[in-house]
Each structure stands twice: as structure tokens, then as C-alpha cells.
Amino acid sequence: DSRLAEKSAVDMVVAGKSAVDMVMAEKALDYMGFKGGEQLLGHPVDYIFLGSCTNGRIEDFRDFAGLVKGRRKAPGVTAWLVPGSKRVERQIEAEGLGEILREAGFVVRQPGCSACLGMNEDKVPEGKYCISTTNRNFEGRQGPGARTILAGPLVAAASAITGVITDPRELVNATGSDNANGSDNTTGIENTYNSKSANTK
């Protein structure tokens, strides 16, 4: 996540690579429908997947709900929010996160693998872009021809609201608040985002 706002698609794939790696990078860019130098921020997205054993924890749903509270999901975005376990599902409702998510236009689904590996009906259609909080994005992982962009829960939440790949700090800075009640949690969101980003370097 920390490099999302600073790197272009080609930078993130080919930096410091050999000639053979460059060929593979071009193949990857072609599969994803990106061009060299194209920025990821602002690129339209079709699907959002919050879940899997990587980011289906209660902490991930707290982060996601905290950012979308008082906002609405972009009309052209399909969102799959899948708890990592029945325990997490119960916690989501017990903490009132389910209500926040539903008011924002989201549906919390049954726990399971879902779109993580595209083994059921939760498949991303060919050529469509999905912001996914999973840890794998090889070709066809989320469905034949699916274009998966890995990100954390906060980037997924921000992108679900705007309909394009979005730095979550942009939403917080635009309002000075992370929820409908107007409480200022800018520092909290930024600290969460920055600390998680630092761990990915």
C-alpha cells in the first residue's frame, strides 16, 4: 500500500529487473491492461473483495467500516465482504459494524473462501478489475481473465466509495472526519494506514 501513490504500474513490476524479467513484466502488464508509466491511482475498479484468511479478521472489518461510515458505495462497484470465520461474523454484528456497512450499501456475506481463489460463483469476470485484500494475484486466481490488484482494507474501502483506486487519506483529508457524526479521526486513519504500509516494505 505504501508504494501505491508513488509508483506507476510499470515501476512496480520492472524496477531493478533483468532482460528476462522485463519480458515477463511486459506480459503481466498486457494481462492487466496497463501501459508503461500508467498510474494506478484513479484507475476505475469493478469489484472489491474484503476477506480471506489474510484480511478477513475483525480488525480488517473495523478499518473498512470506519472509513465507509456515513458514505455510500459507488453504484458501479460490486463488493464482496466475507468474514474469515463465524466468530468474526458474530463480532461484526455485536460491534455494530454490520449496520454501518449495510447503511453504506454493503452486504456482509457468509464466512468462507469466496473470491479469494475463484472456486465458486464469486468469480471476477474476464477483463474486470478487482481490488482484493488477498495475498495472491496470479493469472486467473479470481476467475479466468480476472485482473486482481492487491491492497489493504483501507485502500479497498476508499476505492469502493469512489469507484477508482484511491488513497484512503484523500477521503479523510477531504472531510476532516472518518464518519457521519463528524468526529475527527484523521490521525487514527493515517496512523493505521501508514503503520500497515510500513510493514509491506
Coordinates of all heavy atoms in Angstrom, one line a residue, residues 51-118:
G51 N -11.7 -9.9 2.5 CA -11.9 -11.2 3.1 C -10.6 -12.1 3.0 O -9.5 -11.5 2.8
S52 N -10.8 -13.3 3.1 CA -9.8 -14.4 3.0 C -9.1 -14.5 4.4 O -9.4 -13.7 5.3 CB -8.7 -14.1 2.0 OG -7.8 -13.2 2.4
C53 N -8.3 -15.5 4.5 CA -7.6 -15.7 5.8 C -6.5 -14.7 6.0 O -6.0 -14.5 7.1 CB -6.9 -17.1 5.8 SG -5.9 -17.5 4.4
T54 N -6.2 -13.9 5.0 CA -5.3 -12.8 5.1 C -5.9 -11.5 5.7 O -5.3 -10.9 6.6 CB -4.7 -12.5 3.7 OG1 -4.1 -13.6 3.1 CG2 -3.6 -11.4 3.8
N55 N -7.0 -11.1 5.2 CA -7.6 -9.9 5.6 C -9.1 -10.0 5.9 O -9.9 -9.2 5.5 CB -7.4 -8.8 4.6 CG -6.0 -8.2 4.8 OD1 -5.6 -7.7 5.8 ND2 -5.2 -8.3 3.7
G56 N -9.5 -11.1 6.5 CA -10.9 -11.3 6.9 C -11.1 -11.3 8.4 O -12.1 -11.8 9.0
R57 N -10.2 -10.6 9.1 CA -10.2 -10.5 10.6 C -11.1 -9.4 11.0 O -11.5 -8.5 10.2 CB -8.8 -10.3 11.1 CG -7.8 -11.3 10.7 CD -6.4 -10.8 10.9 NE -6.1 -9.7 10.0 CZ -4.9 -9.0 9.9 NH1 -3.9 -9.4 10.6 NH2 -4.8 -8.0 9.1
I58 N -11.5 -9.4 12.3 CA -12.4 -8.4 12.8 C -11.7 -7.0 12.7 O -12.3 -6.0 12.4 CB -12.8 -8.6 14.3 CG1 -13.8 -7.6 14.8 CG2 -11.5 -8.7 15.2 CD1 -15.1 -7.6 14.0
E59 N -10.3 -6.9 12.9 CA -9.6 -5.7 12.7 C -9.8 -5.1 11.3 O -9.9 -3.9 11.2 CB -8.1 -5.9 13.0 CG -7.8 -6.2 14.5 CD -7.9 -7.7 14.7 OE1 -8.3 -8.5 13.8 OE2 -7.5 -8.1 15.9
D60 N -9.8 -6.0 10.3 CA -9.9 -5.5 8.9 C -11.3 -4.9 8.7 O -11.5 -3.9 8.0 CB -9.7 -6.7 8.0 CG -8.3 -7.3 8.2 OD1 -7.3 -6.5 8.3 OD2 -8.2 -8.5 8.3
F61 N -12.3 -5.6 9.3 CA -13.7 -5.1 9.1 C -13.9 -3.8 9.9 O -14.7 -2.9 9.5 CB -14.7 -6.1 9.5 CG -15.0 -7.1 8.5 CD1 -14.2 -8.2 8.2 CD2 -16.1 -7.0 7.6 CE1 -14.4 -9.1 7.2 CE2 -16.4 -7.9 6.6 CZ -15.5 -8.9 6.4
R62 N -13.2 -3.6 11.0 CA -13.3 -2.4 11.8 C -12.7 -1.2 10.9 O -13.3 -0.1 10.8 CB -12.5 -2.5 13.1 CG -13.2 -3.3 14.1 CD -12.2 -3.6 15.3 NE -12.8 -4.5 16.3 CZ -12.1 -5.2 17.1 NH1 -10.7 -5.1 17.1 NH2 -12.7 -6.0 18.0
D63 N -11.5 -1.5 10.3 CA -10.9 -0.5 9.5 C -11.8 -0.1 8.3 O -12.0 1.1 8.0 CB -9.6 -1.0 8.9 CG -8.5 -1.0 10.0 OD1 -8.6 -0.4 11.0 OD2 -7.4 -1.7 9.7
F64 N -12.3 -1.1 7.6 CA -13.2 -0.9 6.4 C -14.4 -0.1 6.8 O -14.8 0.9 6.2 CB -13.6 -2.2 5.8 CG -14.2 -2.2 4.5 CD1 -13.4 -2.4 3.3 CD2 -15.5 -1.8 4.3 CE1 -14.0 -2.4 2.1 CE2 -16.1 -1.8 3.0 CZ -15.3 -2.0 1.9
A65 N -15.1 -0.5 7.9 CA -16.3 0.1 8.3 C -16.1 1.6 8.8 O -16.9 2.5 8.6 CB -17.0 -0.7 9.4
G66 N -14.9 1.8 9.5 CA -14.6 3.1 9.9 C -14.5 4.1 8.8 O -14.8 5.3 9.0
L67 N -14.0 3.7 7.7 CA -13.8 4.6 6.6 C -15.1 4.8 5.7 O -15.3 5.9 5.2 CB -12.7 4.1 5.6 CG -12.2 5.1 4.6 CD1 -11.6 6.3 5.3 CD2 -11.1 4.5 3.7
V68 N -15.9 3.8 5.6 CA -17.1 3.9 4.8 C -18.3 4.5 5.6 O -19.3 4.8 5.0 CB -17.5 2.6 4.1 CG1 -16.4 2.0 3.3 CG2 -18.0 1.6 5.2
K69 N -18.2 4.6 6.9 CA -19.3 5.1 7.7 C -19.7 6.5 7.2 O -18.9 7.4 7.1 CB -18.9 5.1 9.2 CG -20.1 5.5 10.1 CD -19.7 5.4 11.5 CE -20.8 5.8 12.5 NZ -20.5 5.7 13.9
G70 N -21.0 6.6 7.0 CA -21.5 7.9 6.6 C -21.3 8.2 5.1 O -21.7 9.3 4.6
R71 N -20.8 7.2 4.4 CA -20.6 7.3 2.9 C -21.4 6.3 2.2 O -22.1 5.4 2.9 CB -19.1 7.2 2.6 CG -18.3 8.3 3.2 CD -16.8 8.2 2.8 NE -16.0 9.4 3.2 CZ -15.3 9.4 4.3 NH1 -15.2 8.4 5.1 NH2 -14.6 10.5 4.5
R72 N -21.4 6.2 0.9 CA -22.1 5.2 0.1 C -21.2 4.6 -0.9 O -20.4 5.2 -1.5 CB -23.3 5.9 -0.6 CG -24.4 6.4 0.3 CD -25.2 5.2 0.9 NE -25.9 4.4 -0.1 CZ -26.6 3.3 0.2 NH1 -26.7 2.9 1.5 NH2 -27.1 2.6 -0.7
K73 N -21.4 3.3 -1.1 CA -20.7 2.6 -2.1 C -20.9 3.1 -3.5 O -22.1 3.5 -3.8 CB -21.0 1.1 -2.1 CG -20.3 0.2 -3.1 CD -20.8 -1.2 -3.0 CE -22.2 -1.4 -3.4 NZ -22.4 -1.2 -4.9
A74 N -19.9 3.2 -4.3 CA -20.1 3.7 -5.7 C -21.0 2.8 -6.4 O -20.9 1.5 -6.3 CB -18.7 3.7 -6.4
P75 N -22.0 3.3 -7.2 CA -23.0 2.5 -7.8 C -22.5 1.4 -8.8 O -23.1 0.4 -9.0 CB -23.9 3.5 -8.5 CG -23.1 4.7 -8.6 CD -22.2 4.7 -7.5
G76 N -21.4 1.7 -9.4 CA -20.9 0.7 -10.4 C -19.9 -0.4 -9.8 O -19.4 -1.2 -10.6
V77 N -19.8 -0.4 -8.5 CA -18.9 -1.3 -7.9 C -19.6 -2.5 -7.2 O -20.6 -2.3 -6.5 CB -18.0 -0.6 -6.8 CG1 -17.2 -1.6 -6.0 CG2 -17.1 0.4 -7.5
T78 N -19.2 -3.7 -7.5 CA -19.7 -4.9 -6.8 C -18.7 -5.2 -5.7 O -17.5 -5.3 -5.9 CB -19.8 -6.1 -7.8 OG1 -20.7 -5.8 -8.8 CG2 -20.2 -7.3 -7.0
A79 N -19.3 -5.3 -4.4 CA -18.4 -5.5 -3.3 C -18.8 -6.9 -2.6 O -19.9 -7.1 -2.3 CB -18.5 -4.4 -2.3
W80 N -17.7 -7.6 -2.3 CA -17.9 -8.9 -1.6 C -17.1 -8.7 -0.3 O -15.9 -8.7 -0.2 CB -17.3 -10.1 -2.4 CG -18.1 -10.4 -3.6 CD1 -19.4 -10.3 -3.8 CD2 -17.5 -10.8 -4.9 NE1 -19.7 -10.7 -5.1 CE2 -18.6 -11.0 -5.8 CE3 -16.2 -11.1 -5.3 CZ2 -18.4 -11.5 -7.1 CZ3 -16.0 -11.5 -6.6 CH2 -17.1 -11.7 -7.5
L81 N -17.9 -8.7 0.8 CA -17.3 -8.6 2.2 C -17.5 -9.9 2.9 O -18.6 -10.2 3.2 CB -17.9 -7.4 2.9 CG -17.4 -6.0 2.7 CD1 -17.4 -5.6 1.2 CD2 -18.2 -5.0 3.5
V82 N -16.4 -10.6 3.1 CA -16.6 -12.0 3.6 C -15.7 -12.2 4.8 O -14.5 -12.2 4.8 CB -16.1 -13.0 2.5 CG1 -16.3 -14.4 3.0 CG2 -16.9 -12.8 1.2
P83 N -16.3 -12.4 6.0 CA -15.6 -12.7 7.2 C -14.7 -13.9 7.1 O -15.1 -14.9 6.4 CB -16.7 -12.8 8.3 CG -17.9 -12.2 7.7 CD -17.8 -12.4 6.2
G84 N -13.6 -13.9 7.8 CA -12.7 -15.1 7.8 C -13.2 -16.3 8.6 O -12.7 -17.4 8.4
S85 N -14.2 -16.1 9.5 CA -14.8 -17.2 10.3 C -16.1 -16.8 10.8 O -16.5 -15.6 10.8 CB -13.8 -17.5 11.4 OG -13.8 -16.4 12.4
K86 N -16.8 -17.8 11.4 CA -18.1 -17.5 12.0 C -17.9 -16.6 13.3 O -18.8 -15.8 13.6 CB -18.8 -18.8 12.5 CG -19.2 -19.7 11.3 CD -20.3 -19.0 10.5 CE -21.6 -19.0 11.2 NZ -22.7 -18.4 10.3
R87 N -16.8 -16.7 13.9 CA -16.5 -15.9 15.1 C -16.4 -14.4 14.7 O -17.0 -13.5 15.3 CB -15.2 -16.3 15.8 CG -14.9 -15.5 17.0 CD -13.6 -15.9 17.6 NE -13.2 -15.1 18.7 CZ -12.1 -15.3 19.4 NH1 -11.2 -16.3 19.1 NH2 -11.8 -14.5 20.4
V88 N -15.7 -14.2 13.6 CA -15.6 -12.8 13.1 C -17.0 -12.3 12.6 O -17.3 -11.1 12.9 CB -14.6 -12.7 11.9 CG1 -14.6 -11.4 11.3 CG2 -13.2 -13.1 12.4
E89 N -17.8 -13.1 12.0 CA -19.1 -12.7 11.6 C -19.9 -12.3 12.8 O -20.6 -11.3 12.8 CB -19.8 -13.9 10.9 CG -21.2 -13.6 10.4 CD -21.9 -14.8 9.8 OE1 -21.7 -15.9 10.4 OE2 -22.6 -14.7 8.9
R90 N -19.9 -13.0 13.9 CA -20.6 -12.7 15.1 C -20.1 -11.3 15.7 O -20.9 -10.5 16.2 CB -20.5 -13.8 16.2 CG -21.3 -15.1 15.8 CD -21.4 -16.0 17.0 NE -20.1 -16.5 17.4 CZ -19.5 -17.6 16.9 NH1 -20.1 -18.3 16.0 NH2 -18.3 -18.0 17.3
Q91 N -18.8 -11.2 15.7 CA -18.2 -9.9 16.2 C -18.6 -8.7 15.4 O -18.9 -7.6 15.9 CB -16.7 -10.0 16.2 CG -16.1 -10.9 17.3 CD -14.6 -11.0 17.2 OE1 -14.0 -11.6 16.4 NE2 -13.9 -10.2 18.1
I92 N -18.7 -8.9 14.1 CA -19.1 -7.8 13.2 C -20.5 -7.3 13.6 O -20.7 -6.1 13.7 CB -19.1 -8.3 11.7 CG1 -17.7 -8.4 11.2 CG2 -19.9 -7.3 10.8 CD1 -17.6 -9.1 9.9
E93 N -21.4 -8.2 13.9 CA -22.8 -7.8 14.3 C -22.8 -7.3 15.7 O -23.5 -6.3 16.0 CB -23.7 -8.9 14.1 CG -23.9 -9.4 12.7 CD -24.4 -8.3 11.8 OE1 -25.2 -7.4 12.3 OE2 -24.0 -8.2 10.6
A94 N -22.0 -7.9 16.6 CA -22.0 -7.5 18.0 C -21.5 -6.1 18.2 O -21.9 -5.3 19.1 CB -21.2 -8.5 18.8
E95 N -20.5 -5.7 17.3 CA -19.9 -4.4 17.4 C -20.7 -3.3 16.6 O -20.2 -2.1 16.6 CB -18.5 -4.4 17.0 CG -17.6 -5.3 17.9 CD -16.1 -5.3 17.5 OE1 -15.7 -4.4 16.7 OE2 -15.4 -6.2 18.0
G96 N -21.7 -3.7 15.9 CA -22.5 -2.7 15.2 C -21.9 -2.4 13.8 O -22.4 -1.5 13.1
L97 N -20.9 -3.2 13.4 CA -20.2 -2.9 12.1 C -21.1 -3.3 11.0 O -21.1 -2.7 9.9 CB -18.9 -3.7 12.0 CG -17.9 -3.4 13.1 CD1 -16.6 -4.2 12.9 CD2 -17.5 -1.9 13.2
G98 N -21.9 -4.4 11.2 CA -22.8 -4.8 10.1 C -23.8 -3.7 9.7 O -24.1 -3.5 8.5
E99 N -24.3 -3.0 10.7 CA -25.3 -1.9 10.4 C -24.6 -0.8 9.7 O -25.2 -0.3 8.7 CB -25.9 -1.4 11.7 CG -26.9 -0.3 11.5 CD -27.5 0.1 12.9 OE1 -27.2 -0.5 13.9 OE2 -28.3 1.1 12.8
I100 N -23.4 -0.5 10.1 CA -22.7 0.6 9.4 C -22.5 0.2 7.9 O -22.7 1.1 7.0 CB -21.3 0.8 10.1 CG1 -21.5 1.4 11.5 CG2 -20.4 1.7 9.2 CD1 -20.2 1.5 12.3
L101 N -22.1 -1.0 7.7 CA -21.8 -1.4 6.3 C -23.0 -1.5 5.5 O -23.0 -1.1 4.3 CB -21.1 -2.8 6.4 CG -19.7 -2.8 7.0 CD1 -19.2 -4.3 7.2 CD2 -18.7 -2.1 6.1
R102 N -24.1 -2.0 6.1 CA -25.4 -2.0 5.3 C -25.9 -0.6 4.9 O -26.4 -0.4 3.8 CB -26.4 -2.8 6.1 CG -26.2 -4.3 6.1 CD -27.3 -5.1 6.8 NE -27.4 -4.9 8.2 CZ -26.7 -5.6 9.1 NH1 -25.9 -6.6 8.7 NH2 -26.8 -5.4 10.4
E103 N -25.8 0.3 5.9 CA -26.2 1.7 5.6 C -25.4 2.3 4.5 O -25.8 3.2 3.8 CB -26.1 2.5 6.9 CG -27.1 2.2 7.9 CD -27.0 3.0 9.2 OE1 -26.0 3.8 9.3 OE2 -27.9 3.0 10.0
A104 N -24.1 1.8 4.3 CA -23.3 2.4 3.3 C -23.4 1.6 1.9 O -22.8 1.9 1.0 CB -21.8 2.3 3.7
G105 N -24.3 0.6 1.9 CA -24.6 -0.1 0.7 C -23.9 -1.4 0.5 O -23.9 -2.0 -0.6
F106 N -23.3 -1.9 1.6 CA -22.6 -3.2 1.5 C -23.4 -4.3 2.2 O -24.3 -4.1 3.0 CB -21.2 -3.0 2.2 CG -20.3 -2.0 1.6 CD1 -20.3 -0.7 2.1 CD2 -19.5 -2.3 0.6 CE1 -19.5 0.3 1.5 CE2 -18.6 -1.4 0.0 CZ -18.6 -0.1 0.5
V107 N -23.0 -5.5 1.8 CA -23.6 -6.7 2.4 C -22.5 -7.6 2.9 O -21.5 -7.9 2.2 CB -24.4 -7.5 1.3 CG1 -25.0 -8.8 1.9 CG2 -25.6 -6.7 0.8
V108 N -22.6 -8.0 4.2 CA -21.7 -8.9 4.8 C -22.1 -10.3 4.5 O -23.3 -10.7 4.8 CB -21.6 -8.7 6.3 CG1 -20.6 -9.7 6.9 CG2 -21.1 -7.3 6.7
R109 N -21.3 -11.1 3.8 CA -21.7 -12.4 3.3 C -21.3 -13.5 4.3 O -20.6 -13.2 5.3 CB -21.0 -12.6 2.0 CG -21.4 -11.5 1.0 CD -20.8 -11.7 -0.4 NE -21.3 -12.9 -1.0 CZ -21.2 -13.1 -2.3 NH1 -20.6 -12.2 -3.1 NH2 -21.7 -14.2 -2.9
Q110 N -21.6 -14.7 4.0 CA -21.3 -15.9 4.8 C -19.8 -16.1 4.8 O -19.1 -15.9 3.8 CB -22.0 -17.1 4.3 CG -23.5 -17.1 4.5 CD -23.9 -17.2 6.0 OE1 -23.3 -18.0 6.8 NE2 -24.8 -16.4 6.4
P111 N -19.2 -16.5 5.9 CA -17.7 -16.7 6.0 C -17.3 -17.8 5.0 O -18.1 -18.8 4.8 CB -17.5 -17.2 7.4 CG -18.7 -16.6 8.2 CD -19.8 -16.7 7.3
G112 N -16.1 -17.7 4.5 CA -15.6 -18.7 3.6 C -14.5 -18.2 2.7 O -14.1 -17.0 2.9
C113 N -14.1 -19.0 1.7 CA -13.0 -18.5 0.8 C -13.5 -17.5 -0.2 O -12.8 -16.6 -0.6 CB -12.5 -19.8 0.1 SG -11.6 -20.9 1.1
S114 N -14.7 -17.7 -0.7 CA -15.3 -16.7 -1.7 C -14.4 -16.4 -2.8 O -13.9 -17.3 -3.5 CB -15.7 -15.4 -0.9 OG -16.4 -14.5 -1.8
A115 N -14.2 -15.1 -3.1 CA -13.5 -14.7 -4.3 C -12.0 -14.9 -4.2 O -11.2 -14.6 -5.1 CB -13.8 -13.3 -4.7
C116 N -11.5 -15.4 -3.1 CA -10.0 -15.5 -2.9 C -9.4 -16.3 -4.0 O -8.4 -16.0 -4.6 CB -9.7 -16.1 -1.5 SG -7.9 -16.4 -1.3
L117 N -10.0 -17.5 -4.3 CA -9.5 -18.3 -5.3 C -10.4 -18.7 -6.4 O -10.1 -19.6 -7.2 CB -8.9 -19.6 -4.7 CG -9.8 -20.6 -4.0 CD1 -9.0 -21.9 -3.7 CD2 -10.4 -20.1 -2.8
G118 N -11.6 -18.1 -6.5 CA -12.5 -18.3 -7.6 C -13.0 -19.7 -7.8 O -13.1 -20.2 -8.9

